[in-house]
Each structure stands twice: as C-alpha cells, then as structure tokens.
Amino acid sequence: MLSSHLIPRSRYEQAAIAVYSGSLDASRAVAAEIATLIRQRQAEQKPVVLGLATGSTPVSVYAELVRLHREEGLSFANVTTFNLDEYYPLAPEHAQSYRAFMRRHLFDHIDIDPKRTHLPSGTVAKAEVDAHCAAYEAAIRAAGGIDFQLLGIGRTGHIGFNEPGSPRHSLTRLVTLDPLTRRDAAGDFGGNDATPRHALTMGVRSILDARRVVLMAWGQHKAEIVRTAIEGEVNSQVSASFLQEHPAALFVLDTAAADALTRNRTPWLIGALEEQGLTWDNRMIRRAILWLSQLRGKPILKLTDDDYNEAGLQDLIHLHGSAYETNLIGFYELQHTITGWPGGRDPKKSKPGDAPVRPLRGTGASVFPKRILILSPHPDDDVIAMGGTLCRLVDQGHEVHIAYGVSGASAVSDEAVWRLLAFVRDSGLADSAQSTHLTSLTSQLSHGATLTQTPELLRWKALVRRHEATAAARVCGVPETRLHFLNLPFYNAAPRSRAYGPTDVSLVGNLLAQLQPHLIYAAGDLNDPHGTHRLCLRILRDAFALAATARAPWLAAAELWLYRGAWNDWPVDEIDLAVPLSPREVLRRRRAIFRHETQKDQALFLGEDRREFWQRTEDRSRRLAEAYNTLGLAEYEAIEAFKRYAPEDFLRSAAF
Ligand code: F6R
C-alpha cells in the first residue's frame, strides 16, 4: 500500500517519500505494512521486533493496529517492541509517561506479552543511567535488532529525542530536551515548569540500525522541518536528515506536511509544469510572480523579460507574450483580493461606479444583510485573527454570530481565579456556606499552592474566559445573544491525546443548522501548538459532511473563509480576500484583544516570543500590508487575510 503512494524523486529530494491526502489513510497504510510483516513472520513461526514512537503522530497507526487485532484477528503474540524514548525522571504510572501512553493507545488493547514490551526506564537512578542505556542496546541486539522502526519528527528535526547536535554514532543515552520540544510537551504536563528537562532516548545509530524505517509527519506545522530533513544536507542539527543515508527509509507525509517541498512550493524549479500534472492557471501564475518579485526585490509591474528568463520562468513569457502581459495577470489577481466590504455591499446604499465586491462568489453573495458565523476555536481567536473584519461586518449591518469551540480553561492561571474568588468572598455576594469554601480556596491559592484542577476549578476558569470573550465581542458590537459557547468535549483530554467524536460534530452541526449562515469564518491556522485549531477544522468539515448528506439548502449558498491566528498569516500567494484596516480599526481591535486579560500572563503559550497577542496581531497585519505595498499595490495601515474554501473542496480536503 505504501508503495502505491511513492513519489518519483526529484533532484531536490534526498529520501524516498510517500504522500497521502490525509493522515488517516496514510496511517492505515503504515499499519498495513506492519501487519503484513507480523503475519509474514507468524507464517514462518518467527518473532518480529518493532521500534515504536509516541506523540500525536502515531496515534492513528495504533488505533488501526488495535482495529486489525479486534476485527481481523491480527495477533501480536510473536511481537517484541522497543520504544524510542521516555522522559527522565518520570514514573511509568505518570499519566504523561510514554509507558502509560503506549498502554493507553496500544498495549492494553492487543494480545502482546507485556514482558516483550520495552521502554527506557524513567525511574532508574542517575548513577545507573549509563548501564541501563547499555542494557537497552544489548536487549535490542539480543532480540535480533529492529525489523521495523516507526518515527515521528519533532519541530527541531529530532527523531526519538535526538535533539540538534546528536551525532550519527549516538546510542541510547540521557539527553537534555530542546526548549521547543519542551514547549510542545508543556500542555500535557500543565505548564513549562512541570515539563521534564531530560529524557532517555535511543540514539541516531540505534535508529539507523533498524532494517526498515518509516518516518511519519502530519500537518503544516511540520512542513518546514520535513523539507529540511528531506532536501537539506545531512547534518547533526536535524537528526531526521540522517535517514537520507538509510537504504530502506521512507518519509510518509500528508499533503500539508509535504507542502514546503520544492515540488509543491515552487514546482517550476523541478521542470515543466505539464510534466508534473500541473497547469499555469492564474493561481500558479500569481504564485510564480510573487516568488519572482521577492527574488528580484521588485514590485510586480517592474518585472522584466530578463527577470523571468534568468529565473527559469521562460514558459510564462511564452504563454503570455511578454513580461508586461504576465505581470498584469499577477497584479490583477492580487488586486482583486482586496475589499473593504467583506460581506458584500448594501444594494440600497450602492452608487453606480462603486468598485465591485469581487471575492464573494457563492449563490448567497447578493443577500444583504448576511447571517455570518465566526468560529473561534479558543475564546480569543476571533478578535486576535480577524477583529478588524469582525467589526467591519457588524458596522456594515450584518447579523454576526460568534461560536467559541473550546472553553480555553487550561490557559487560565490559578492566580486569575484567585482574584475573582477573593472578590466574591469579600463582596458579600456569597452565602456563608459558600464563603467558607471560598475562604479555604483563596487561602490555598494565596499561599502559592498549585491547586488540583478539579472540574469545579476548571468550570470557573472556563467562566473567566467566557466573560472575557463576551467583553471583547461587546467592543466589536456583537451582543451576548449572538455568542455561542460550545464547550466542545474533546478539549477535556490531555492536549496531545485529544481526539474528537460525534458529540463535538453534532454540537457544531446543530449550530450550523440553526443559523444557516451565508458566510462562515473558521480558523485555518494549523500551526497552533496543541492542534486545537486543526481539530476544530476537522469537526467543522464533518459537520459540513452531515449537512451535505442531509442536502441542507443553506450549504449550497454558504461561503467558507479561513483565517489564520496569532502565529502566522497566509502566504500572499494563497490569499483570496484581503480586508484593509484603517488606523482607527487597528486600535479598536487592540481594545477587543485587551479584554482577554488572563491571556497576558500565560507565558506557556507565548513561548519564546515575548510579544503579547495584540502585538503579534498588529505586527502580522502590518507586515501583510507592507507586503502588498512592496508588491506595488496600495499602501494600507494593516490587512487581515482569508483563504476561500468552496464547501465541496472543503469536504474533500484532508489537508488538516
Ligand atoms: C516520540 C518521539 C518524538 C516524537 C516527535 C513528534 O516517542 O520520540 O520524536 O515523534 O516529537 O511528536 P508529535 O508526534 O507529538 O508531533
């Protein structure tokens, strides 16, 4: 199965890759290869040794293996496993230990002999660590070596926990985790301070010694590091790049993780587009022109025939006659993304000669005013990502609803709750029984104790965020009656074990059916650290699928726009709608973001980037305005950008 998705290698790619439209199909194919190997060995009455990984990436492979065991009789009786790594120090009983992870996702659901499952021990005494690691290597050798090694890739390029600097000859050992890796894990441990600083990991050499190695990567947040690992030089700064030297290594990617490969980002560098099954449509032309404009440091309309020729874009000139003609195509494509009326114009107020409102296309485009639904995964993504557009839509007379996906409770500090509890305690609003409870809680908090995150405390934290969101929406003119707090239940699990289910989908589906929106805005920022945005988008896709099956009439008329959040914006070549903001609108958006007070002290989510959310938003939208300006378009204070998803493409899309 994996072989059917192998891509013929371009000269940029130094390793074999298989690309799937979605991570589920890819995971099934990987599980199928593992199952085939297990069955082959069973037929030969031989054991098989698997090297296993943890983290979010292999979860669906394990789910498929469990399904194969339950439904198709796949037995693991002849299987021995060695996991890549374990946090150190950490007890195996700790919910976040990799031992616990493996039990939860695989071992407890199959017929494997627990004695044949190996992980480095997170509890071995410091003085024993070296001996323990040597014994782990010896155990792998004694089992006959690893037949099949499963890998994920960290954003530092690590395989196992072989962080930048890990040499080719490294074996199982104690390592210090990279700050980025710790930040990615911090959500699972409830904060950076509680996240282990060290781990025991198999080394690069221990991994490369496996007879077959499959590295999987899903999602856009892995795209850059995947490109470096596949197209970059082999070097110890990116331990995954060593796989280039393995004769039977395969990178299995979904389309989002493959997105930054040269074949996808700048396919004209690989060869003629037609030979790659691609065409020079206006979108591709725009992308090439923007790339060229950046390469030559010139605005679009100043690009010359020489610029095109020297950059290998002769094909484009041949197609359109001259640089002048080609430039115009790219220029107009980009200019037509700009509109100050993101929801269309009031026909009663339009005058002859008004600029057309181009980006709107759906059959509902002419409806005015529109019912608009903004889906905000966390309670602040709406204003952070599109606060200016949100205010515009309200001011221009549309009926704007905002639905908040998750409660956001885990991003509220105990301190923020303490202030509110102390206020209630001292206000005289609580009766005496509640007061005793409040006094005990506030005194625990003021003594700096870390409180257990009981459902009660989490409910209060959720309330805090709800009221912040309500206050921010008020700045934008959206009344409380048009706010929908969905409290999607998938959020209740630990961050990297989250999976959504039918309840999440029906909560979103019911809201869509109730509102029948003409325009829907959703977060397409798939780079958020813990994947909440990605899950929310999948939930929306499934809710759309239900509406499509039920032939809901509103769906045909609806348009879907994706925004990106605080981390980064759409690349200019992917933007379909650009809403310019005035200096005053930028300030109003800032005021709305300010309402999310608790988010100011959550260093955890800010990571190394010390800018607050309002600063990131302003920098991001100013940078985008500057990019439009540099390309030769008008100069605006700031721009918020959106990408169109036709509902039918959205339903087909497995890119997230
Ligand atoms: C896990 C491991 C790590 C992860 C990597 C990606 O055992 O060794 O290398 O594979 O950090 O993590 P996720 O899959 O959570 O993105």
Side-chain angles (χ1 to χ4, degrees):
M1 270 250 276
L2 282 172
S3 56
S4 64
H5 283 70
L6 269 181
I7 303 255
R9 255 197 237 183
S10 79
R11 68 195 151 94
Y12 289 89
E13 291 143 7
Q14 308 304 322
I17 50 177
V19 180
Y20 286 77
S21 58
S23 61
L24 281 183
D25 285 350
S27 301
R28 279 189 207 117
V30 173
E33 178 168 321
I34 298 175
T36 305
L37 177 65
I38 296 176
R39 287 192 172 117
Q40 249 166 25
R41 291 294 170 83
Q42 265 156 11
E44 297 161 9
Q45 297 192 325
K46 285 191 185 150
V48 58
V49 182
L50 303 180
L52 299 179
T54 54
S56 53
T57 309
V59 168
S60 21
V61 173
Y62 297 147
E64 174 66 2
L65 288 174
V66 171
R67 190 196 67 76
L68 288 169
H69 170 68
R70 287 193 180 141
E71 294 174 16
E72 298 182 21
L74 176 67
S75 167
F76 290 78
N78 65 330
V79 176
T80 298
T81 64
F82 288 90
N83 263 80
L84 284 165
D85 38 25
E86 179 59 282
Y87 290 113
Y88 184 85
L90 197 69
E93 302 76 40
H94 191 290
Q96 297 311 322
S97 79
Y98 283 165
R99 167 65 76 182
F101 175 99
M102 288 311 299
R103 292 191 54 178
R104 212 165 38 240
H105 291 281
L106 187 65
F107 298 157
D108 283 357
H109 313 288
I110 55 176
D111 62 339
I112 195 162
D113 176 356
K115 288 199 285 301
R116 294 174 78 154
T117 64
H118 304 85
L119 281 96
S121 163
T123 50
V124 70
K126 202 68 182 266
E128 309 292 323
V129 162
D130 288 349
H132 176 72
C133 292
Y136 201 71
E137 289 285 335
I140 296 176
R141 274 196 309 277
I146 292 173
D147 292 301
F148 182 104
Q149 176 66 56
L150 196 60
L151 297 175
I153 180 170
R155 288 197 292 159
T156 58
H158 68 215
I159 46 177
F161 275 138
N162 292 289
E163 300 289 21
S166 299
R168 165 82 173 75
H169 59 263
S170 52
L171 294 171
T172 304
R173 68 206 185 286
L174 178 68
V175 291
T176 303
L177 296 175
D178 187 273
L180 182 59
T181 303
R182 290 186 67 235
R183 203 156 68 232
D184 283 349
D188 293 340
F189 285 92
N192 236 9
D193 292 344
T195 307
R197 289 172 194 283
H198 302 283
L200 300 183
T201 181
M202 278 166 57
V204 175
R205 177 165 160 209
S206 345
I207 293 170
L208 292 182
D209 279 349
R211 286 179 274 279
R212 164 78 160 156
V213 182
V214 170
L215 183 148
M216 307 180 298
W218 323 135
Q220 196 185 56
H221 60 304
K222 297 283 172 77
E224 281 301 332
I225 196 66
V226 161
R227 185 179 67 82
T228 311
I230 294 175
E231 297 188 359
E233 270 177 28
V234 176
N235 86 64
S236 62
Q237 289 306 304
V238 177
S239 63
S241 67
F242 286 115
L243 297 187
Q244 293 179 17
E245 295 176 345
H246 192 287
L250 174 68
F251 283 75
V252 179
L253 311 173
D254 66 1
T255 39
D259 192 48
L261 296 176
T262 303
R263 67 167 62 245
N264 295 322
R265 195 157 276 179
T266 46
W268 48 88
L269 293 177
I270 305 258
L273 288 199
E274 305 71 52
E275 285 166 18
Q276 301 174 62
L278 301 166
T279 47
W280 279 116
D281 56 16
N282 283 6
R283 175 57 64 116
M284 189 67 88
I285 295 176
R286 166 158 51 131
R287 192 190 307 173
I289 292 175
L290 295 182
W291 170 80
L292 184 62
S293 165
Q294 201 180 22
L295 189 77
R296 310 301 276 196
K298 286 182 176 177
I300 297 173
L301 295 177
K302 289 192 180 171
L303 293 170
T304 62
D305 285 9
D306 286 347
D307 290 323
Y308 280 87
N309 286 331
E310 284 164 29
L313 285 171
Q314 298 85 342
D315 280 7
L316 264 184
I317 306 272
H318 284 310
L319 274 175
H320 299 287
S322 68
Y324 178 78
E325 297 294 336
T326 321
N327 290 346
L328 283 179
I329 297 175
F331 183 81
Y332 285 129
E333 271 283 306
L334 200 58
Q335 193 177 50
H336 293 175
T337 60
I338 303 173
T339 182
W341 288 272
R345 230 197 281 249
D346 184 348
K348 291 198 285 299
K349 291 194 190 147
S350 333
K351 303 179 293 297
D354 276 347
V357 184
R358 290 194 196 82
L360 291 179
R361 275 200 211 137
T363 53
S366 56
V367 177
F368 195 95
K370 291 187 173 53
R371 248 183 335 277
I372 296 173
L373 175 61
I374 295 172
L375 288 158
S376 176
H378 298 95
D380 54 358
D381 294 310
D382 52 343
V383 287
I384 287 174
M386 55 169 291
T389 307
L390 165 54
C391 292
R392 254 180 196 233
L393 291 167
V394 175
D395 291 351
Q396 291 174 354
H398 299 285
E399 180 185 323
V400 178
H401 293 254
I402 310 174
Y404 301 98
V406 304
S407 75
S410 62
V412 177
S413 67
D414 289 353
E415 153 67 26
V417 181
W418 178 85
R419 265 193 299 151
L420 294 165
L421 293 182
F423 178 86
V424 179
R425 182 196 61 196
D426 300 341
S427 66
L429 289 168
D431 65 29
S432 63
Q434 288 166 336
S435 243
T436 326
H437 186 43
L438 284 172
T439 305
S440 111
L441 272 172
T442 47
S443 71
Q444 281 179 60
L445 279 164
S446 60
H447 288 118
T450 310
L451 286 192
T452 323
Q453 303 297 302
T454 56
E456 185 188 30
L457 189 59
L458 286 172
R459 192 172 67 80
W460 291 334
K461 290 188 168 183
L463 263 183
V464 171
R465 298 222 54 191
R466 179 184 179 123
H467 291 303
E468 288 177 345
T470 309
R474 204 160 42 231
V475 174
C476 305
V478 183
E480 217 171 333
T481 46
R482 292 193 183 149
L483 304 182
H484 310 267
F485 293 90
L486 300 176
N487 278 321
L488 297 174
F490 80 80
Y491 188 66
N492 298 335
R496 289 203 287 187
S497 310
R498 284 176 186 154
Y500 67 95
T503 318
D504 300 292
V505 177
S506 68
L507 280 165
V508 173
N510 292 346
L511 184 68
L512 288 171
Q514 177 202 328
L515 295 178
Q516 315 214 344
H518 303 103
L519 292 185
I520 299 164
Y521 290 86
D525 181 348
L526 311 179
N527 268 329
D528 70 316
H530 303 123
T532 302
H533 292 202
R534 198 165 34 247
L535 285 177
C536 284
L537 202 56
R538 286 186 182 160
I539 292 170
L540 180 66
R541 184 188 54 193
D542 289 4
F544 264 56
L546 287 182
T549 315
R551 297 187 190 284
W554 62 267
L555 189 61
E559 282 198 54
L560 172 65
W561 296 99
L562 299 187
Y563 60 81
R564 280 203 170 165
W567 278 271
N568 55 14
D569 222 319
W570 294 112
V572 178
D573 64 278
E574 290 193 34
I575 293 172
D576 293 305
L577 168 63
V579 181
L581 304 183
S582 69
R584 247 184 56 193
E585 288 170 305
V586 170
L587 285 178
R588 184 168 169 204
R589 180 179 62 185
R590 185 189 297 179
R591 260 196 300 132
I593 298 173
F594 276 175
R595 295 297 179 269
H596 294 279
E597 281 177 39
T598 58
Q599 298 313 292
K600 288 164 86 84
D601 58 6
Q602 284 298 301
L604 163 62
F605 294 101
L606 293 173
E608 267 158 21
D609 185 343
R610 295 286 159 208
R611 290 172 306 159
E612 290 192 21
F613 280 119
W614 67 272
Q615 291 168 312
R616 294 181 193 210
T617 294
E618 289 184 14
D619 291 350
R620 185 180 52 108
S621 59
R622 283 213 175 94
R623 252 198 332 266
L624 188 55
E626 273 159 27
Y628 266 67
N629 187 24
T630 312
L631 289 164
L633 289 115
E635 183 173 358
Y636 297 105
E637 174 74 4
I639 290 180
E640 287 178 350
F642 304 87
K643 184 178 161 94
R644 174 202 308 280
Y645 249 108
E648 59 284 7
D649 292 342
F650 182 54
L651 285 174
R652 269 199 304 270
S653 172
F656 32 84

